[in-house]
Amino acid sequence: MTTPPSSPREALAHVLAVFADEPASDMAVVATRNQPTRGAVTGLTWGDLRALAVSPPQVWLLMRGVDDDIDPKVRAFATREAGRAALTRAARDVHADIARAEKDADGTLRLYGPLGARGVAWLELSPHAVTTETGMGQ
């Protein structure tokens, strides 16, 4: 008897090994068929699943600061959507007026307030890879 996978990543690796010969464009998981438009199919292809398997897991960090000073209170979110909702709330609380906004190719969002007595206040929501690195601080 084999041991069941201990994590979703391990389970995905097993499924991809079993179905290694499936073409990348074939559907692996069908979410909808013929909805909302007749003939439309949505879901994940084998290529999608293979791409997910090699991508490292990530978290979205919401940081704030003034000029080069970063507030030590950093919030972490599992998805960009959850982080974006918190960014919107923080922007309302911190800045009455947003002077500038930026969006990077990786999805990072930055908001800058106007120049104040302490400098320019900012908020940033950005993706960061989760690692299992050991020995930090040595």
Side-chain angles (χ1 to χ4, degrees), residues 83-99:
R84 189 171 182 156
L87 175 72
T88 301
R89 285 190 302 276
R92 282 191 216 122
D93 294 343
V94 175
H95 306 298
D97 184 29
I98 301 298

Side-chain angles (χ1 to χ4, degrees), residues 22-102:
E22 292 295 320
S25 60
D26 283 3
M27 294 300 283
V29 178
V30 176
T32 59
R33 184 176 301 249
N34 298 329
Q35 298 173 350
T37 310
R38 188 152 187 73
V41 177
T42 62
L44 297 169
T45 65
W46 287 106
D48 294 334
L49 291 179
R50 290 177 187 124
L52 288 170
V54 296
S55 299
Q58 67 179 11
V59 294
W60 288 82
L61 298 182
L62 177 58
M63 299 174 279
R64 67 174 61 198
V66 176
D67 288 340
D68 292 334
D69 294 326
I70 300 173
D71 187 326
K73 294 179 222 157
V74 175
R75 296 180 63 196
F77 300 90
T79 65
R80 182 174 184 266
E81 293 75 25
R84 189 171 182 156
L87 175 72
T88 301
R89 285 190 302 276
R92 282 191 216 122
D93 294 343
V94 175
H95 306 298
D97 184 29
I98 301 298
R100 190 173 89 226
E102 297 175 355

Side-chain angles (χ1 to χ4, degrees), residues 79-130:
T79 65
R80 182 174 184 266
E81 293 75 25
R84 189 171 182 156
L87 175 72
T88 301
R89 285 190 302 276
R92 282 191 216 122
D93 294 343
V94 175
H95 306 298
D97 184 29
I98 301 298
R100 190 173 89 226
E102 297 175 355
K103 181 180 177 186
D104 292 351
D106 67 357
T108 295
L109 299 172
R110 283 185 207 86
L111 303 176
Y112 300 93
L115 180 61
R118 292 181 36 213
V120 175
W122 55 268
L123 292 164
E124 177 182 289
L125 179 67
S126 55
H128 296 267
V130 175

